[in-house]
Amino acid sequence: MTKKLYFLFFAFCLLTAYVTQAQTPTTTAADKWVDSVMKSLTKDQRIAQLMIVRLSQLDAKTRRPVFFTQQVTQLIQKYNIGGLCVFQGSPADQATIINKMQSIAKTPLMMCIDAEWGVGMRLYEDVLPLPKQMMLGAMRDKQTVYDYGKLVAEQCKRLGLQVNYAPVVDVNNNANNPVINDRSFGEDKYKVADYGIAYMQGMQDNGVMATAKHFPGHGDVAVDSHYDLPVINKSMEELDSLELYPFKEIFAAGVGAVMVAHLYIPAIDNTKNRATSLSPENINGLMRGTMGYQGLTFTDGLEMQGVQKYYPKGAASLQSLIAGNDMLCLPTDVPGTIIAVKNAIKKKQLSWDDINMHCRKVLMAKYMYGLQDLKPIQLNNLKEDLNAGIEEMTRRVAQNAITLVRNEDKDIFPITTSFGKKSLAYIAIGTTSDNTLTRRMKTELGAQVYFYKNSGSSQAIINNAKQYEKVIVGIHSMGRSPGNNFGLTSSEIGLVTALQNDHTATLVFGNPYSVKNFCDIRNLIVCYQDDDIIQDVALDKLLGKEGFRGVLPVTVCPELSYGTGIVTSGVKDDVLQKKKTDFSKAKLAAVANVAQEAINEKATPGCVLFAAKDNNIIYEEAYGYTDYSRSTPVSLESVYDLASLTKVCATTLAVMKLYEEGKIDLNGNLSDYLSIAKGTDKEYLKIKDLLLHQAGLVSYIPFYKTTLFDNAVAKNTIYQYGSGPGFSLPVAKDMFIRDDWPQQMLQEIMASPLGPQGKYVYSDNDFILLGKIIETLSGLPLDKYVEKNFYKPMGLENIAFNAHSNIADSLLIPTEQDQYFRHQLLKGYVHDQGASMFGGVAGHAGLFSNAYNVAALFQMLVNGGHYNGIRFFDSSTVDLFTSYHSSSRRGYGFDKPKRDNEDLKDPYPCESASPRTFGHTGYTGTCVWADPVNKLVYVFLSNRVNPEVSSKLQRLNTREKVHEALYRLVE
């Protein structure tokens, strides 16, 4: 490839990866601007364009910001340096100086900031910081991470910055890490990658270049590279399996830049004391070559002793360029570096082609982020604009991150308002003055507050605490460093330990690793950081106004491992709540009469009816019995086989999430995601057509029939009674199918006749394939994926695939007495034959649940994608999937009303359902419908297939009649 073609390709990649929400400039325009600037630069200036220098720092004595305005002005005027890095100083001072520096620069300066948790992290003055990445890692909510990145981008743009040295995608797998620690999302490489990409996309979608750091992974060190060179003694296999994983993923996702760490990793480069930032084997070998990343690279700060100790003065800068880096961050000697580079070119250690290539990349990035049309920073309302949204985002993060890690005594929460003299005490450790939490404790709860800090006798506090019904301990003003045990003194730790009993709860307002000191505490909450907003949210959670939703992002001790977190439900506006209703007896009877008619006519032995309006439960009743023996009444907690409701309560939700994450294209081909489709006539089936049931697949394949002898006995080459090697997939009680048989069924789908695309034919096969796509893309079985991403964060219980092993038997409703395949009563094993042959987990059937859980999932969609304080989808995604997309009545995955419903004699799903209504029905006698216009959610669960399949429920129009009666109820 010629250099001209390379630059065109690089420009195209930048254009497609970085520029959104604005008209994309043509590659020709970008190249013309880069060419014109390159022609204007001398050779020395082309070297200087590769340097980012410091604008300010804190004075060591006064701890006040000092700007290097005079020195930087000289570097700009004499050498035409490439950019500046913003550190300490007020927003007004920063903006004024940046405007001045840009005005004197011959070539626009690339303005950078190291602002992982917002510009307030660096400015220190007048701008609040955002929560650190480890607190983000405690959330189950990736959308908030994207929105966090968007907010940081808005801050950067307002201050005239084009590059943020964030996110950190180091996997912090060393609890004693002094330099990364709470800057990381945590110890799980998958979450680090996912959240890093979300943060990156939030910034880059909104016009600021992200920088993934610190390549190849700074998480497993115990030495701070600011002071010395850390060593990582791991094999390449170990690095590839952990540290490199987030970088692979974020590179593939289109991150604009990467920052290279100062580490010594012999497996990559065993040259003595040569940091990875200076290593050709690391930059041009591993990163550029093996991993294929061609975006911008920045060194970590070249002032740091991790490189200066062994490569002093300009040596580190020169070696960084020889290694293949594009930009030198904080070089210690600009003129010395220029001289050293030119000498290296004479010695053929570098070439002018190398310098020109790096310079063009830098200029292309400047063009892509608007420096070709630079405008001065407006000073009016600057402070207010930079703070806009910070409090709201901090509250949102706290609501999702604060983690209940242990709750041994169930009567501790919620704390009830009580002004009895000895009812409640709050003991604030680490502080001697009131804060938001102590003030609210006093005024709202009448609590007696005690303070303790550092050392001295604590016996009086211990004695006083014994007199109270409940004691809340809060640990405040903690440090970040593991080196000094997070600022905790032995006397403070001793006091926390002495206060523990069955009526004490402890809140840790600091680094989760500090919990290593408190692993035996019975009732423990990790709050991650300590400020007014986080304290405010923590008390709301103690009062039960907010549910707990966070998880530990790291392992703090063996019994409190990564992912630990108890989910509770608080009193929220966006969750289903039971409130007093005032409906007429006649209207209530109209609903009940329809259900009773179905039972009297033996259309079903029993059923559960559930309805909610405006997040309020308005109807919740159980009718009849679990079967016709009439021995066990149905209850509101009864768990039914949802049949095809699986399609919308599991598979479609998963597709929606993957679509939002950019992992699945609705216009993509089946073979893009499932290799088994390649070379078949199913290869180019569109994902959207699978969702719409118009891909041309046959409606049903009776997979089970070919696995039986003529007398309907299961073939012993395919089934085994009792699990064993190669037979681990449950089909029914004590009946297991061969582990390789699901692949055989997929082959049958690939070999089945293909009808015309675009014609609506309801088919389970569409959703079987979608389920497999979800598993391929996520790396998780479908049941585990939806449990992790929806059911657990929503606080739902008793919703699961393979209910026989995941839900109490007393809650399970029996379905059919299978006389033709499995020859037993099915209870907790999926009724659908095909789903059972996939081991009970399939995209079209297999999910079990009670009515409340189904309603909650659809209430989340009616809410526009949020529930329990967590945003699961953007509202635009919900609108897209629940709208009509063909001449049939289908949305993407969801069933909808007939288009001409009002004019039909048999309206579907009922006469009053608005055109925006969406839902689904299930073969076992189930349905769910949600009407966003009328804010009505309706669920009907039954086992009409017990003891055998009956069509009476359809003939009586039971589900439709109940639905219409509910509209009459709320009109």
Side-chain angles (χ1 to χ4, degrees), residues 555-726:
T555 295
V556 298
C557 42
E559 58 270 36
L560 295 177
S561 59
Y562 164 81
T564 299
I566 300 168
V567 175
T568 66
S569 295
V571 180
K572 283 185 163 295
D573 293 335
D574 67 346
V575 300
L576 292 171
Q577 301 176 44
K578 187 75 170 180
K579 290 189 177 181
K580 185 178 180 180
T581 56
D582 188 23
F583 299 122
S584 73
K585 291 182 179 180
K587 289 183 175 181
L588 288 169
V591 180
N593 289 343
V594 179
Q596 200 58 56
E597 177 193 35
I599 294 169
N600 294 342
E601 293 294 324
K602 292 194 173 182
T604 179
C607 59
V608 175
L609 278 58
F610 188 104
K613 185 171 180 3
D614 299 318
N615 283 291
N616 297 323
I617 300 169
I618 60 170
Y619 200 95
E620 189 180 23
E621 296 291 343
Y623 298 92
Y625 296 86
T626 61
D627 57 32
Y628 288 112
S629 71
R630 299 174 63 86
S631 59
T632 306
V634 173
S635 74
L636 294 176
E637 290 73 36
S638 293
V639 171
Y640 284 84
D641 181 338
L642 298 183
S644 284
L645 267 58
T646 302
K647 294 181 174 73
V648 290
C649 292
T651 309
T652 300
L653 295 180
V655 172
M656 292 168 68
K657 182 171 180 62
L658 293 169
Y659 164 80
E660 270 203 355
E661 294 173 345
K663 294 180 180 178
I664 192 166
D665 181 357
L666 300 184
N667 290 304
N669 298 320
L670 177 62
S671 58
D672 295 337
Y673 306 100
L674 289 183
S675 59
I676 195 173
K678 292 179 179 179
T680 73
D681 59 358
K682 317 297 187 300
E683 183 171 3
Y684 299 109
L685 299 185
K686 301 296 182 185
I687 300 301
K688 65 180 181 182
D689 288 334
L690 295 173
L691 288 162
L692 292 168
H693 295 278
Q694 59 182 39
L697 296 175
V698 296
S699 61
Y700 172 68
I701 298 176
F703 297 111
Y704 74 98
K705 289 188 176 180
T706 60
T707 68
L708 306 177
F709 292 112
D710 292 341
N711 61 355
V713 173
K715 294 179 179 178
N716 57 14
T717 57
I718 300 173
Y719 298 97
Q720 177 175 290
Y721 290 92
S723 63

Side-chain angles (χ1 to χ4, degrees), residues 1-16 27 31 292 294-295 364:
M1 180 183 289
T2 67
K3 288 187 177 179
K4 182 68 174 177
L5 286 175
Y6 171 79
F7 295 133
L8 286 171
F9 172 74
F10 180 73
F12 174 77
C13 292
L14 286 171
L15 287 165
T16 55
T27 302
D31 258 353
Q294 304 303 327
M364 186 63 74

Side-chain angles (χ1 to χ4, degrees), residues 425-553:
Y426 184 78
I427 299 173
I429 294 176
T431 182
T432 57
S433 58
D434 273 324
N435 55 37
T436 294
L437 185 54
T438 60
R439 284 189 287 270
R440 283 189 65 191
M441 279 280 186
K442 292 175 183 178
T443 58
E444 296 179 32
L445 298 171
Q448 180 65 48
V449 175
Y450 299 89
F451 297 97
Y452 183 85
K453 185 175 182 179
N454 294 334
S455 61
S457 176
S458 59
Q459 193 59 49
I461 293 177
I462 296 169
N463 293 338
N464 283 329
K466 294 176 182 178
Q467 305 173 52
Y468 291 87
E469 295 175 12
K470 288 185 180 180
V471 175
I472 308 299
V473 179
I475 307 173
H476 297 277
S477 304
M478 296 173 62
R480 292 181 56 208
S481 173
N484 67 348
N485 199 16
F486 311 98
L488 293 167
T489 66
S490 58
S491 58
E492 289 172 339
I493 296 169
L495 175 55
V496 174
T497 303
L499 289 169
Q500 299 307 310
N501 52 46
D502 61 4
H503 59 273
T504 300
T506 300
L507 292 82
V508 179
F509 289 96
N511 192 309
Y513 282 120
S514 68
V515 174
K516 68 181 182 180
N517 297 287
F518 313 114
C519 286
D520 296 330
I521 286 179
R522 296 173 61 85
N523 305 293
L524 180 63
I525 299 166
V526 180
C527 301
Y528 300 96
Q529 293 181 218
D530 195 8
D531 65 27
D532 292 341
I533 296 171
I534 293 168
Q535 291 173 15
D536 200 47
V537 173
L539 185 54
D540 283 346
K541 290 181 181 290
L542 289 176
L543 293 171
K545 295 179 180 180
E546 290 272 355
F548 289 96
R549 298 189 291 276
V551 296
L552 285 177

Side-chain angles (χ1 to χ4, degrees), residues 782-968:
L782 176 61
D783 57 335
K784 300 302 181 186
Y785 182 83
V786 290
E787 178 185 42
K788 175 184 176 182
N789 288 287
F790 298 103
Y791 308 154
K792 278 192 173 181
M794 290 179 69
L796 306 183
E797 297 178 351
N798 295 322
I799 178 170
F801 290 81
N802 282 321
H804 56 87
S805 59
N806 293 304
I807 296 174
D809 183 76
S810 60
L811 298 178
L812 298 176
I813 300 294
T815 52
E816 187 180 6
Q817 181 71 50
D818 186 345
Q819 303 285 0
Y820 49 90
F821 172 27
R822 287 163 283 185
H823 304 285
Q824 59 178 267
L825 175 66
L826 302 174
K827 184 180 180 184
Y829 291 86
V830 61
H831 175 269
D832 183 273
Q833 301 92 349
S836 75
M837 296 171 68
F838 279 104
V841 181
H844 69 296
L847 189 63
F848 290 73
S849 178
N850 58 35
Y852 175 90
N853 293 328
V854 176
L857 291 170
F858 272 67
Q859 186 66 60
M860 177 265 289
L861 298 172
V862 171
N863 291 345
H866 63 83
Y867 192 89
N868 199 25
I870 302 173
R871 178 158 291 283
F872 293 91
F873 300 114
D874 187 86
S875 59
S876 63
T877 302
V878 178
D879 292 342
L880 174 67
F881 275 74
T882 60
S883 298
Y884 292 108
H885 289 289
S886 70
S887 57
S888 73
R889 64 173 195 256
R890 291 280 164 175
Y892 287 144
F894 295 96
D895 199 359
K896 290 185 63 62
K898 294 177 180 177
R899 287 180 175 272
D900 51 354
N901 222 14
E902 296 177 357
D903 302 324
L904 295 176
K905 293 181 180 179
D906 57 340
Y908 177 86
C910 72
E911 181 180 358
S912 297
S914 78
R916 288 186 60 196
T917 298
F918 56 91
H920 217 283
T921 59
Y923 185 81
T924 51
T926 60
C927 75
V928 56
W929 292 101
D931 186 343
V933 174
N934 294 290
K935 304 294 184 184
L936 183 68
V937 176
Y938 157 54
V939 178
F940 182 99
L941 300 184
S942 77
N943 55 336
R944 64 110 185 172
V945 295
N946 182 285
E948 60 186 7
V949 176
S950 167
S951 60
K952 288 182 180 179
L953 201 71
Q954 292 95 310
R955 292 204 305 268
L956 292 170
N957 288 326
T958 300
R959 289 171 285 190
E960 294 85 347
K961 288 178 181 177
V962 170
H963 200 180
E964 187 62 35
L966 289 169
Y967 276 104
R968 301 283 76 80

Side-chain angles (χ1 to χ4, degrees), residues 55 67 86-87 89-100 113 119-120 123 125-128 151-161 375-390:
L55 186 57
F67 283 91
V86 172
F87 286 92
S90 72
D93 288 344
Q94 296 281 6
T96 301
I97 294 172
I98 290 170
N99 281 341
K100 179 183 177 181
I113 190 168
V119 299
L123 303 189
E125 297 182 40
D126 297 334
V127 183
L128 294 171
L151 178 58
V152 174
E154 294 300 330
Q155 288 184 315
C156 290
K157 287 190 298 183
R158 185 64 181 86
L159 198 56
L161 311 172
K375 294 180 175 60
I377 305 164
Q378 297 300 310
L379 299 182
N380 292 340
N381 299 314
L382 178 61
K383 174 182 171 181
E384 292 76 12
D385 291 346
L386 289 173
N387 281 291
I390 292 179

